[in-house]
């Protein structure tokens, strides 16, 4: 389910009344008011079958990962959303296999320990603050099979190497 940009609060309330017992994907999209967040949280709480969650917009949601026990894929460029979501969880308790658009920075790095290192296989980094963060990711997720670096580096260490690495997609063949 991808919520359309034109959905009103009344429409979201009506959507919350409709059960989708096998719903696998939820995409919040970009255009939303803060007042809709509680309804969206209610919707997510009512759909524990969701495996893929994309949260792109600013208002973060007060929902623990335990409300989404089937979640295996998480995508969000929103650092505050990811920090709120991960900071509530115990070390290794979130069994994700992929994370995409991750804004990798010093704030988020310590919180990645909440993700089970044995299940994490795919990481797409949206922004990267420095190579030390990348080294920390390698230590945190030793079982990564796919790592995608940002198209445009957000770091300024040794420009030549960054230019070459930002085009790299590391995958086992």
């Amino acid at each position: 389910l991808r919520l359309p940009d034109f959905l009103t609060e009344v429409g979201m309330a009506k959507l919350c009344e409709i059960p989708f017992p096998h719903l696998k994907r939820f995409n919040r999209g970009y255009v939303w008011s803060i007042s809709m967040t509680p309804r969206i949280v209610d919707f997510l709480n009512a759909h524990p079958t969701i495996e893929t969650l994309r949260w792109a917009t600013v208002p973060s949601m007060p929902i623990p990962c335990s409300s989404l026990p089937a979640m295996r894929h998480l995508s969000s460029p929103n650092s505050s959303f990811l920090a709120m979501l991960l900071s509530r969880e115990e070390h290794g308790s979130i069994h994700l296999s992929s994370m995409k658009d991750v804004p990798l920075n010093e704030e988020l790095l310590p919180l990645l320990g909440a993700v089970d290192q044995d299940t994490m296989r795919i990481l797409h980094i949206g922004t990267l603050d420095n190579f030390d963060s990348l080294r920390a990711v390698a230590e945190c997720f030793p079982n990564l099979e796919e790592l995608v670096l940002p198209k445009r580096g957000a770091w300024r260490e040794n420009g030549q190497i960054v230019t070459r690495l930002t085009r790299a997609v590391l995958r086992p063949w």
Side-chain angles (χ1 to χ4, degrees):
L1 173 65
R2 184 186 192 294
L3 295 181
D5 297 341
F6 62 83
L7 191 64
T8 64
E9 289 182 48
V10 172
M12 188 66 215
K14 290 181 186 260
L15 183 62
C16 285
E17 296 170 1
I18 305 170
F20 297 97
H22 303 288
L23 188 66
K24 300 286 185 195
R25 291 181 231 2
F26 183 85
N27 184 342
R28 178 168 180 186
Y30 285 92
V31 182
W32 292 102
S33 69
I34 256 181
S35 62
M36 290 185 86
T37 300
R39 290 285 186 193
I40 294 170
V41 170
D42 291 344
F43 183 86
L44 292 174
N45 278 322
H47 294 87
T49 57
I50 292 174
E51 295 176 1
T52 302
L53 176 64
R54 172 143 178 79
W55 194 275
T57 191
V58 170
S60 293
M61 64 176 188
I63 185 171
C65 287
S66 57
S67 295
L68 297 168
M71 184 172 63
R72 298 295 176 258
H73 312 282
L74 176 61
S75 176
S76 180
N78 184 332
S79 182
S80 62
F81 164 72
L82 290 171
M84 179 184 291
L85 191 69
L86 298 175
S87 67
R88 298 168 178 230
E89 304 302 324
E90 305 247 345
H91 186 80
S93 64
I94 305 171
H95 304 289
L96 295 175
S97 62
S98 73
M99 290 180 74
K100 295 185 177 180
D101 299 327
V102 177
L104 197 58
N105 56 43
E106 289 181 10
E107 173 196 11
L108 200 56
L109 269 174
L111 302 176
L112 290 177
V115 179
D116 182 352
Q117 70 175 5
D118 294 329
T119 60
M120 181 59 117
R121 297 288 186 260
I122 298 170
L123 180 63
H124 293 198
I125 300 173
T127 59
L128 179 64
D129 60 356
N130 60 54
F131 281 107
D132 290 334
S133 295
L134 195 55
R135 188 179 327 280
V137 162
E139 292 169 7
C140 188
F141 302 125
N143 296 323
L144 278 182
E145 296 172 0
E146 178 177 311
L147 173 65
V148 177
L149 300 177
K151 292 179 181 159
R152 294 185 194 125
W155 63 92
R156 306 270 181 235
E157 300 175 341
N158 191 349
Q160 271 188 320
I161 293 174
V162 171
T163 301
R164 192 171 52 234
L165 283 178
T166 57
R167 290 178 189 54
V169 176
L170 308 175
R171 295 183 180 148
W173 300 106

